[in-house]
Amino acid sequence: MAAGAKKRVAILISGRGSNMVALIQAAKDESYPATIAVVVSNDPAAEGLKRAADAGIATAVVDHKKFGKDREAFERELHRQLTTNHVEIVCLAGFMRLLTPWFVRQWEGRLLNIHPALLPAFKGLDTHARALAAGAREHGATVHFVAPEMDSGPIITQAAVPIHHGDTETTLAGRVLAVEHQIYPYALKLVAEGRVQVSGERCLIDGQPAKIHS
Ligand code: GRF
């Protein structure tokens, strides 16, 4: 695919950035419909920043601590970084700041998140421990468009994994992370190719309801 036809993507991180690496790897393929224009972290110490730089991707830091309680000023600066880099799609990948409705509206339909659970189950943190404690038989990961309410918004794709007897938070997290690294590049590809339409609370892919992969 010609470079000019590819969608320009920003990845927002706060930590180790393994999903970011999966997206960067996928985007290396010439036929992939998106290019990673910039990786932005709210934490200057995020391990993912070095991994992005090592991969030759531009990085930026918008340190939320410098903005004190002024969430809007932080987001205006974040937004400025994205527009300066001519970003068209934003992927949250372990980005640990809640975004205000203002920011979400700016990027509506172009803002994706990955969550380590089969939404709408287990929104929020500690999803693996909570799935184990609840005795769930299945767990997984979800890529969705971001809506103002945390961990909600139309689901683009999901992947389920089994929960085995004797699983710990660590073994389960590893199994889920492996599918995260598959579904995020897949979901971004669908969005970048314009194959995802939002219909009410749901996504249609090529006009069909989204499926759960397992
Ligand atoms: C992933 O489990 C993701 O689903 C969640 O935060 C974690 C980030 O991991 N939102 P990484 O930084 O991509 O390795």
Side-chain angles (χ1 to χ4, degrees):
M1 182 178 271
K6 291 177 182 248
K7 294 281 186 206
R8 291 178 62 79
V9 171
I11 307 174
L12 270 48
I13 63 165
S14 301
R16 70 187 161 184
S18 72
N19 279 288
M20 172 204 77
V21 169
L23 293 171
I24 290 173
Q25 291 291 350
K28 278 189 185 163
D29 191 314
E30 207 184 309
S31 66
Y32 198 75
T35 184
I36 310 305
V38 64
V39 167
V40 186
S41 174
N42 65 298
D43 180 354
E47 197 188 324
L49 282 172
K50 184 176 181 314
R51 297 173 90 177
D54 287 348
I57 307 289
T59 62
V61 174
V62 183
D63 184 351
H64 66 277
K65 292 203 184 105
K66 294 207 170 135
F67 297 87
K69 289 209 167 90
D70 194 346
R71 203 175 272 271
E72 281 181 22
F74 164 70
E75 290 188 352
R76 277 197 302 274
E77 177 55 19
L78 198 55
H79 186 67
R80 196 187 66 78
Q81 285 288 347
L82 301 176
T83 50
T84 305
N85 283 286
H86 305 289
V87 166
E88 298 167 279
I89 299 173
V90 178
C91 290
L92 307 180
F95 184 68
M96 300 304 284
R97 304 301 297 168
L98 289 177
L99 294 164
T100 67
W102 174 79
F103 186 92
V104 172
R105 266 198 305 274
Q106 298 298 314
W107 294 93
E108 196 173 356
R110 302 181 297 152
L111 180 58
L112 282 61
N113 182 44
I114 186 152
H115 181 72
L118 291 172
L119 290 174
F122 305 119
K123 295 180 179 183
L125 298 173
D126 298 324
T127 57
H128 309 308
R130 285 158 57 216
L132 288 170
R137 309 296 286 273
E138 259 194 340
H139 192 38
T142 304
V143 182
H144 63 99
F145 284 119
V146 175
E149 197 191 320
M150 185 189 66
D151 296 329
S152 66
I155 291 170
I156 302 165
T157 193
Q158 294 185 303
V161 301
I163 295 183
H164 298 313
H165 182 69
D167 260 340
T168 63
E169 216 179 310
T170 308
T171 57
L172 183 55
R175 195 174 305 126
V176 171
L177 197 61
V179 296
E180 290 187 41
H181 296 163
Q182 293 169 2
I183 65 171
Y184 213 172
Y186 169 69
L188 175 59
K189 179 177 191 290
L190 293 176
V191 173
E193 288 174 343
R195 293 166 59 193
V196 183
Q197 298 85 44
V198 175
S199 165
E201 295 302 306
R202 288 166 194 272
C203 285
L204 297 176
I205 302 186
D206 299 329
Q208 301 297 316
K211 295 191 194 86
I212 293 195
H213 299 270
S214 55

